Structures are given as structure tokens and as C-alpha cells.
Amino acid sequence: MATRKNSTDDPLAPVTLAVGQEDLLLDRAVQQVVAAARAADADTDVRDLTPDQLQPGTLAELTSPSLFAERKVVIVRNAQDLSADTVKDVKAYLGATVEEITLVLLHAGGAKGKGLLDAARKAGAREVACPKTTKPAERLSFVRAEFRTHGRSATPEACQALVDSIGSDLRELASAVSQLIADVEGTIDEAVVGRYYTGRAEASSFTVADRAVEGRAAEALEALRWSLSTGVPPVLITSALAQGVRAIGKLSSARGGRPADLARELGMPPWKIDRVRQQMRGWTPDGVAVALRAVAAADAGVKGGGDDPEYALEKAVVVVARAARAGR
């Protein structure tokens, strides 16, 4: 989720700097500023500009004092792509901001355009972090935060099921949360998510992995074929398989204890400890090793090392499911 990185919490600060590459969070940072400006003045003039629209001199024209003292929001997208002359204009403005005008700079972060980024920070801009969510845990945190923001409760299993079902697109995750809280009263649990997104869940890479590590080969293969037919990238499936097998290996070699203690030791949420404990019945250390080798081979196959990615995945799923039943 977007997080502020300085002490000010005022969306009407003279300059807001939104840094990152997550489009939803960048848009929300902009929407927050615009909403605050229009709450203060319904006639606020909003100018939303791309680098090619912000030519040298344009910013000075947009921010020149008005006889009518109108409130204005000037949004500059992809600020890292501004020309050198326009960057000079922006830096000059940062040193002499105009009352009633809010400048919003959207910057991808990184080395490109770092001079402008540093200048905005030095000038005391309000900063909103909008990092790309690349890890499942980050998407899970996003979903939990969405429910909290709306003042609603959802079980950990429901949040995980939603991430497993929807995937990595934050816009779709946010939309799914909005739909659930609009349609469902009380606490949202895993069963509710299943009813709403059963088709998506069946196409989830994590569903393939769960059925495979549980030794349910036929169901895993069915989920795999559904996933591939609905466009789930094969690399996500091998990643989910690897995560599932590694979790079993980590838990089987860990000391016994309460889920909370094991969660801290292994870096898993407590609810996942309980799920993996159920899945690991029948697994042996040799089975884990065999399964990991099969998944690694499939991963290489889907990344160009084989002629038939679908066959590579099917083979891995069968080996994992067989390994899950080896100790039974």
C-alpha cells in the first residue's frame, strides 16, 4: 500500500512527491490530493500533464499568480522523463512555490531523473511511496490494508484466498475487496471468497501447488490445465510449486512448537504453519529433494530450456504429487 515517508500528512502540501512504479498507488496519491483540493475549493483547476506536454516555460505559465487566487493542482507524470530544461523549471519552482497551488510529481524512482527526485526531497516535499508489489506477502499485506481501510474484517485465510484467486494485479485485488465488502455483511471468510471467485481460484497457480503437495495428482493436473487455458503464466506455476515444496521441507526440519513460534522461526504466517502441517503428511526428506529437482527442471523447461512447457509442468506436478504420498 502507499505509505508516506515524511512527517507531513497534508495532501495540500505545496509539493507532493509520489515515488514508485505501482500504477494503482500512484493514481491514489493523485486522487487524494485532488479530492482534498476540491474539498477546499470545488472550482479547483486540475492540470494533468505528461513530460511531452510540459515544455520549458509551461510550468511557470501554469503557476503564475492569478488575479482570482484560484486553487490549482498541477500533476506531472513520469517526472523522471522530463527534459533537462524543464527539470530546471521544476527545480526553480521548488524554491519558490505559490500559495493555493499544489504540485504533484510522479517519479518512478531509480537513477533516471534522480537529480529532480533529490531536489524535491531537499525542498521538503511530502512523499508518498508507491512501490511495485513483487512478492506474494506484499500483495497479502495490501489486501489486509484494503479491508482495514474500509473498516471491515476478513480472516487471514480469506485474504490469502483472495490473493491466490486474483493474482498480482492490485487494481483487481482492490476491486475484489470493494465487491466483497459491498455484498457481504460481517466478517469475510475463505468460504465467501470461494463462492465469489471459485473460477479464478481454480485457475490459480497456488491451487495447482496445493493439490500437488497434498498428493492429489488428478486434481492438480486438472487445475494445471485450467490455469494454462486461462492464461496463467507457466513461470508462476513453477514458482508456486517451489514455494509449496520448500515450505514442507522447512517445516519438516524445524523444531516442534506452537504455530506462532514456528512462524517467527520460518518466516511464515501462523495460519500457513497449520496448512503446511496438514499438507506434509506422507512427505519424506528424500521426497522433498526429488520434488525440488523436478520443479527446478520444469522451471528451466518453461523458461526456454525445453520444447514443451506444458509437458514439463505436467511432469513436475506428477512427481510432486507422487513424492507427497511416498511416506504414506
Side-chain angles (χ1 to χ4, degrees), residues 222-282:
E222 182 180 359
L224 171 64
R225 290 167 189 141
W226 186 293
S227 297
L228 295 174
S229 69
T230 55
V232 175
V235 68
L236 293 185
I237 298 173
T238 56
S239 175
L241 284 168
Q243 290 180 49
V245 176
R246 288 194 192 107
I248 287 169
K250 288 167 67 175
L251 188 57
S252 64
S253 62
R255 300 187 302 274
R258 297 178 305 168
D261 296 330
L262 287 170
R264 285 192 293 272
E265 179 183 343
L266 302 178
M268 299 181 190
W271 65 264
K272 188 170 183 179
I273 296 292
D274 292 333
R275 175 180 288 182
V276 176
R277 273 179 168 166
Q278 294 174 354
Q279 292 175 333
M280 63 187 289
R281 297 168 187 164

Side-chain angles (χ1 to χ4, degrees), residues 16-18 20 49-51 54 75-84 86-87 90 103-109 112-117 120:
T16 286
L17 179 64
L49 306 169
T50 55
L54 196 65
I75 303 155
V76 180
R77 297 185 183 271
N78 298 313
Q80 73 279 355
D81 295 330
L82 291 173
S83 68
T86 303
V87 167
V90 176
L103 175 65
V104 184
L105 298 173
L106 276 58
H107 194 293
K112 187 176 183 182
K114 190 173 183 299
L116 177 57
L117 193 62

Side-chain angles (χ1 to χ4, degrees), residues 119-253:
R121 286 169 171 162
K122 187 176 180 180
R126 167 182 174 265
E127 185 170 344
V128 182
C130 305
K132 196 76 175 175
T133 55
T134 58
K135 300 177 181 178
E138 294 171 345
R139 294 189 282 275
L140 184 59
S141 295
F142 172 81
V143 168
R144 289 171 174 166
E146 286 290 289
F147 281 115
R148 286 196 300 269
T149 298
H150 290 287
R152 295 292 301 274
S153 60
T155 66
E157 294 82 2
C159 293
Q160 184 65 55
L162 199 58
V163 172
D164 291 349
S165 301
I166 301 299
S168 60
D169 191 308
L170 289 199
R171 289 188 190 279
E172 292 192 20
L173 285 169
S175 177
V177 170
S178 296
Q179 180 180 11
L180 288 170
I181 63 176
D183 293 354
V184 180
E185 296 183 358
T187 299
I188 293 165
D189 58 20
E190 188 175 13
V192 170
V193 174
R195 287 199 303 271
Y196 272 74
Y197 299 102
T198 181
R200 299 291 291 272
E202 288 171 359
S204 164
S205 57
F206 287 99
T207 300
V208 177
D210 284 342
R211 299 297 85 78
V213 300
E214 291 162 3
R216 297 154 65 178
E219 294 177 40
L221 287 171
E222 182 180 359
L224 171 64
R225 290 167 189 141
W226 186 293
S227 297
L228 295 174
S229 69
T230 55
V232 175
V235 68
L236 293 185
I237 298 173
T238 56
S239 175
L241 284 168
Q243 290 180 49
V245 176
R246 288 194 192 107
I248 287 169
K250 288 167 67 175
L251 188 57
S252 64
S253 62

